């Protein structure tokens, strides 16, 4: 399976997905990552924090960005080189996270694409940043 080639990309091109964050997602992410901070897993503890309830790991939203890059734009074959992230707001259980990546610039010489990355809940940014990926070229 092959995603888009470098030659298929254009500035402004974008792709997005929506994922509703469930308790099982947070618990699975904690198990895989080892991040068992009680703000993610213990409702009683989380109620005592400024968040007033359990929140998802920030890196779970970052994983949603990775999923869009790896499956949609550019898709299979793209290789992550870097990702900056800013965590703006918490994501609570049950929140629908809309993740969007948009091609910002293309480096023809290197075959690299720079993409704006953002996750939003109810139109408000929860995570944003920028990714650089290496994109395969069309065979000659």
């Amino acid at each position: 399976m092959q995603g888009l080639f470098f030659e298929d990309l254009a500035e402004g091109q974008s792709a997005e997905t929506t994922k509703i964050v469930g308790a099982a997602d947070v618990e699975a992410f904690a198990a895989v990552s080892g991040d068992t901070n009680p703000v993610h897993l213990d409702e009683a503890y989380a109620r005592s924090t400024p968040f007033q309830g359990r929140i998802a790991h920030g890196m779970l939203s970052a994983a949603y960005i990775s999923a869009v890059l790896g499956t949609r734009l550019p898709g299979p074959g793209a290789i992550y080189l870097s990702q900056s992230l800013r965590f703006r707001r918490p994501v609570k259980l049950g929140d629908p996270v809309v993740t969007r990546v948009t091609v910002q610039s293309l480096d023809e010489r290197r075959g690299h694409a720079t993409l704006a990355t953002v996750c939003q809940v109810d139109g408000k940014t929860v995570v944003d940043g920028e990714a650089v990926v290496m994109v395969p070229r069309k065979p000659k």
Side-chain angles (χ1 to χ4, degrees):
M1 175 180 253
Q2 176 64 51
L4 297 173
F5 291 104
F6 183 83
E7 295 81 2
D8 299 324
L9 300 179
E11 290 181 18
Q13 190 173 1
S14 67
E16 73 177 42
T17 61
T18 301
K19 172 80 171 132
I20 296 174
V21 178
D25 300 315
V26 172
E27 290 155 12
F29 192 86
V32 169
S33 69
D35 181 352
T36 57
N37 183 329
V39 75
H40 305 305
L41 302 173
D42 183 330
E43 184 63 37
Y45 173 86
R47 273 196 298 261
S48 73
T49 71
F51 304 113
Q52 298 295 302
R54 289 172 62 187
I55 60 171
H57 302 77
M59 293 306 287
L60 179 58
S61 292
Y64 297 154
I65 294 169
S66 178
V68 175
L69 292 171
T71 65
R72 303 241 175 142
L73 182 66
I79 303 297
Y80 240 133
L81 298 176
S82 67
Q83 173 76 58
S84 66
L85 297 168
R86 289 177 291 203
F87 300 96
R88 306 290 192 157
R89 290 181 172 80
V91 173
K92 298 194 174 206
L93 301 185
D95 279 350
V97 178
V98 177
T99 303
R100 185 174 52 260
V101 301
T102 304
V103 178
Q104 285 184 310
S105 65
L106 297 165
D107 182 337
E108 174 69 34
R109 183 177 65 79
R110 296 174 130 179
H112 293 177
T114 301
L115 301 104
T117 59
V118 64
C119 295
Q120 296 182 316
V121 172
D122 297 329
K124 295 180 181 174
T125 299
V126 295
V127 178
D128 64 7
E130 182 179 273
V132 178
V133 297
M134 182 170 49
V135 185
R137 294 184 189 272
K138 285 185 178 176
K140 295 189 182 206

